[in-house]
Each structure stands twice: as structure tokens, then as C-alpha cells.
Amino acid sequence: MKLNLTGLLLLITFISFAQKKLTISDIYEKELFKEETIKSLNWMNDGQYYTALEDNKILRYDVTSGKSDSVIIDGQALNLKIDDYSFTTDESKLLILTDKQKIYRRSFTAVYYIYTFEGKELQKLSSKGRQSYATISPDNKNVAFVRDNNLYFVKLSNMSEHQVTSDGKLGSIINGSTDWVYEEELYITKAFFWSPNSEKLAFYRFDETAVKEYNLQYWDNGALYPRDYRYKYPKAGEENSTVTIKVYNLKDNTTQTVDLGKETDIYIPNIQWTKNSDILAIKRLNRLQNQQDIFHYSTKFKSATNILTDKSKTYIHATYTDEWIYLDNGTHFLMSSEREGYKHFYIHRMDGQLEYKATSGAYNAEKLIALDQRSKTPVLYYTSTENGSTERHVYQVDFKGKGKIQLSTKPGVNTADMSKDFKYYVSYNSSATSPKEVSLIMTKGNKLVKVLKDNAKLKETIAEYGLTEKIMFEIEAADKKLLNAYMIRPANMDSTKKYPLLLYQYSGPGKQRIKNDWYGDKHFMWHQLLAQKGIIVVGIDCRGTGGKSEEFKKMTYMKMGKMEAEDQVATAKYLGTLPFVDQDRIGIWGWSYGGYISTLALETGPEVFKAGIAVSPFLWKYYDTIYSERYLRRPQDNPEGYNEYSIVRNAGKLRSKYLLIHGTGDDNVHFQNAIALQNELINQGKQFQSFYYPDKDHSLTGTKTKMHLYSMMTNFLLENL
């Protein structure tokens, strides 16, 4: 085990400067360190303007100056709180989302309005109840939405409302939206799609009748009796919803059901229309999630053809390779895949045959930004890890993989938002040494037009509080592979003293927390506060995390937790040998998967850690089908994988000071997980601390909750490290 010491030698240098003391209130109540950015950016059709939502106003900006020249909509004047908005394709109308109310992590209901610029008319989309996921048709004549598990559309010509489905029922049938596990693990909430000619609506139908219920109990701030909330949650190895795809024809009010074969124990991670309004494309993923098939369904002949199959020896993470676009030429489609060991973009003919590799090499083409299809050889804009796994840079390349140009010039994490005519883009950059900078760039020549947000005020606040640099470095894993890490150290370090150290990690498969960016995660400022209180904080991405090769990410398959915990223990052991670290005062903490790994590391490395915190840790067998089975298969297929690295099974090994935290209203990682762990710790005679937040979900949201949570965790560490 060794460390790349570049930059870390600064740690043993005595530094002296004034430093204003951070408080929990500064971070989570006053939000003094919140970055400025541009939200809800929409490029206008002419390419000369874009709009953005600021202070409840939709402002129009001139790209030649980067300055706002008009107010498109003033929410206050309309007596509306605008949460989001979208234009019709001809920009004659605006769909405004207001009063957004969360259901789960991504799902919501809202109240929508249509604003017509001619006549300045504001109309409620529907007065018959709240709606979800309202979407304008390509011809700008209709808006579809979901209400109470049924699909509807409104004709904008007369604002008449039409019902597409009628069998929707809570806990049974869902039309046009998704069940809990699809929302959480496949990131789908809106599950309906307009055909290019606006004459058809393709949509998902979930039959979750066979899925077992989970019962959440809410105390509702002191109600006389607690409130039960039951919803369908498929745990590992249990029954899933039966999912079918249907196509509704607006012209004759008929509905087709797509036949994808006899096997119904499958997932459908994506559907979309090709450029042909008679051909619907569908991705089908098997239950083991190691084979993905693409089907083309003909609404004319009512038949589906399998045109492409992707297979993996481990798993296919459908949401990590979800770029899938049918090109304007009608003869090709673009898709992303990890089939060659890294994520890359491929161009296929409509019959599924590979035509071009747009990107290739020992790096990940991580995110598709835009496609310029105006020429015979279209251009792809994307971000990648070609400059290193902690960096993200913006590139352009043609579909044949030729003419690659790096557009981003500043080190760190970069992304972009391209104008519709590709003449300009808005650049977003941050690094470990600088918060986010938002700039308007002319694509030709890559020329800066204007810095839109420089976060100058935030930089002044950072200097005032004397925040220390997030130093990036690499450290060896237990098997000698290099892991990405960062260190936040106390200012004014005394080279003659040893300091306590806290390891932070998430460790979840394919996730990456260690990047050359400013915040990186929501805990960054709290880590700065701990550094001010004399604790060194080290963040680490262990084996199985993202940003590197498919092999690095998937080596934990079927034995989740083993390598992740080994790497945390090995890292702590090595850091304990450094001259400025007190090896007897090392701690670890994490949230969700990080809570699981921090607990397992405490159990499997009791001689290394003095204390640890786990927020909302989970047990594989209690978690959902898609997630648990993707990495471990079903419990009946891999009982050892579920049991050997269970934090309940290893509870008897715990010797460190331990704080267990959970929300009782957690619909994701159920409170049941904490109860099972606590029961076993009690059975094993282990003393520990626990705290449960009434009615709070997995994120433990709310200012007062955050204030209490981070104050409690700070005090625990100061008392036990």
C-alpha cells in the first residue's frame, strides 16, 4: 500500500492565516456556500436566444451579449410559482409546471398551465385534478398527462380532455407512469411517448397485482393514531409487476398490445419511436439483467422483430448505457454500450448491423450532449474520461470517429448545453480549487462570449472562511489497483502533531464520488467544518465504483461488499502510518450504500477503526429486485453472496463506537433494515448509539432535520475520535 504524495506534502507544512469558523447553520440553514448556476435553460429555435428561470421569471438572453433583453413570463404577475416550463416546438405556447408535489424520489404531481403568447392567455391544463408529466405533442396540438394511474390528453384547440385508459387503479394497474422499482432503479417516471406525427401514444402498462406490499407507518407530527401507507415494493427474489407496452391511436381510438414473446418476467428499460410513426422501438432486459434485446414493433403489421442483442458475463446497467437515438436520416440509430470494456457510442443500421464506432479507446464516453445531424457525416458532442477518471471534458467527433476535438479547456469537471443550431453552447466547469463557472461559448473557434456565472461572491465567502484545498491523490487498493481519493486537511496544521482521520465513501457499484470538482457531494462543506475542528477527512472510491473500466466496476459482481470493505480497511491501515495521522483515532462514515460499507468495514476491520457512522444502511435481501439482483442475482441463485457480507451476519464482530441513523418514513431503504441490524447488535451484546428521524425519507430532507443530523454527527465524532 502506498500513496501518490504529489500535493500531500503540503500537509506537514505549517500554515497560518485567519479563518472564520464554520457552523452547521452557515451550511444548511443560511446556505452561504450555495453555488450560482443557470436553471431550466431552453434554447430558442433561431439560435440567437435562450431562456432561463430566475427569481420566478422566465428571462430571455441574447447569445451575442449574454445579457437578458426581456422577461418572457413573470410568475409573480401571473400569481404562479413556476417550477419548470417548456415551449411548443413552434414557440407559440408555453407549458408551465406549478405546485409540484413529490411522491417518491423522482415522481410527482403538479398543476399545469398553458400560456399562449398571442393574446397573452393563461389557461389551466385541466380542472379535474392534479396531473403528472404533461408533455406537448410534436404538432403542438395536444398535451398528454397522467392522473390517478390513467393516461389522458388535452386538445389545445378547445382545451377538451380525453381519456386514453380507464383501468388504472392504485396498487393494481398503472398506465403511462411506472411502479416504484422502475422509478427508483431505471429512472423512469413518465412512461408515455408521442409518435413523430402526433397520431399515436405508446405507453407502459404495469400490472402490480402480484407484487407484495410494504407498509410504512407515519406519525404525522403527533397524530392520535399513526397513518399506514401501503405500496407495492418487490424485494429481491420476489414477484415483479407484469409490464406490457401498448399503442393508442388518436384517430380511431384503438389500442394495440405489443407482443414481445411468452417470457413476461422481464424489464423494459426504454421505448421510443423511430422516425417512422409506424415503428416503435423497445428495449427488453431479462430478469438477470445480462441480456438486452432491441425490438422494432410495426403498428401496421402488429408484429415485433428482434434486431439487436447485447450480452454481458455480469450485468447490463440499463440506466448507465441509456443513450439511444434514431437519426433523422431514418436509416441509422445511435446507442451506447460497454460491450468492449468501456462505455462508447455506436452507430447501427436499422436492421441492427454495426456501421461505425463513433468513439473508442480506454476511456468512457460518458454523456451524450448533442447530435448535429445537418451534414452527411453528423457530429456527436459528448463528455468523456479521456483525460483521466477524475476529469470530465467536452469533445466533438463525427459519427465515423474522425475529427475529434476537445472543446473544454479548463481542468476539472466540464459539461455543456448546446444551442439548437450548434453555434453556441453554455459551458459548466468546476474543479477541486474553484466552484462552478458558467460561460457562453461560440462553438466555431471555441470563443468565449461571456462568463454568465462566476460565483465571485461564493469565492469571497470561501476566502473569508479560509476553506482548505481538496487535494486529489491516488492510493492502492487491497489488491494494489489504484483508487481515486481526496483529502481535506485542517488549516494551520502543526507538523509535530498527529490528527484524527475520517474516511468518507459511498462505494456503490458504478457510482463515483471522487472527481476534480468543487462540491462533489452534498457533504463537502460539512467535511470542511470537520477539518476546521481538527479532523482530516479522506474520501475514497474503492473497487467497484465508476469512472474507470467495465472490469474495474464489475469485479465486485456476485460478492458485493467484500472488496469495498477490504479497500476501506486497507486504506485506513496505510493512512494510519503517515506521520501526521493518529492511527488510534480513525473513523469511517457513509450514507445508504456508504452506510452499508462503513458498517461492514467496522465489522471486518475492528482493529483499525475507533468509530463509525452509518446513515440508512441496507441489507441486500430486504432491497428491491432490480438493484439487488443486478449485482447478486436472486437470493435463491446466490445465497452466499447475500449472506456472507451481510452487516447483520457480521454484527458480532463490531468493537468500534457506532452511530446508526435512519428515517422511519424511508420508502427506499426501509426502516426494517435498521431494526434487523439493531436486533442482532442487541443479541450480540453490542453497545451502540442509534437515532431515528420520524416520518423522514431516505434523504432525511428538511432544514431542521439537516441541522439536527449534522450537529449530532459532528458531536459524535468529536467525542469518539
Side-chain angles (χ1 to χ4, degrees), residues 35-139:
E35 284 181 314
E36 284 190 321
T37 189
I38 294 179
K39 295 181 179 179
S40 297
L41 186 149
N42 278 273
W43 288 96
M44 308 298 285
N45 290 338
D46 60 11
Q48 290 300 115
Y49 299 94
Y50 66 87
T51 62
L53 180 61
E54 298 181 24
D55 300 323
N56 203 31
K57 297 176 181 178
I58 301 174
L59 305 179
R60 189 178 77 165
Y61 285 84
D62 187 329
V63 297
T64 59
S65 65
K67 294 181 179 179
S68 173
D69 67 354
S70 64
V71 178
I72 300 291
I73 293 290
D74 185 339
Q76 187 172 355
L78 295 175
N79 198 29
L80 297 175
K81 171 63 172 65
I82 302 173
D83 293 312
D84 207 350
Y85 67 99
S86 59
F87 287 91
T88 55
T89 56
D90 62 3
E91 298 178 349
S92 65
K93 293 180 173 64
L94 200 63
L95 179 64
I96 302 174
L97 188 159
T98 71
D99 193 21
K100 184 176 181 178
Q101 294 181 11
K102 177 180 174 182
I103 302 175
Y104 300 120
R105 188 194 296 260
R106 299 174 181 89
S107 55
F108 62 89
T109 64
V111 177
Y112 290 88
Y113 291 85
I114 292 290
Y115 183 85
T116 305
F117 288 101
E118 184 179 350
K120 298 181 179 180
E121 184 180 15
L122 181 71
Q123 296 173 285
K124 213 171 192 178
L125 181 63
S126 173
S127 59
K128 298 180 180 179
R130 297 176 63 83
Q131 311 98 48
S132 299
Y133 326 124
T135 305
I136 306 165
S137 63
D139 65 2

Side-chain angles (χ1 to χ4, degrees), residues 556 558-566 596-597 600 603-604 618-620 632 639-650:
T556 56
M558 297 287 279
K559 48 185 181 296
M560 305 302 294
K562 178 182 185 295
M563 294 180 185
E564 300 96 306
E566 287 176 351
Y596 160 60
I597 295 300
L600 191 59
E603 294 170 343
T604 56
F618 77 104
L619 299 169
W620 288 102
L632 288 173
E640 182 179 343
Y642 277 82
N643 296 325
E644 188 170 352
Y645 307 108
S646 161
I647 53 178
V648 169
R649 180 173 180 174
N650 289 280

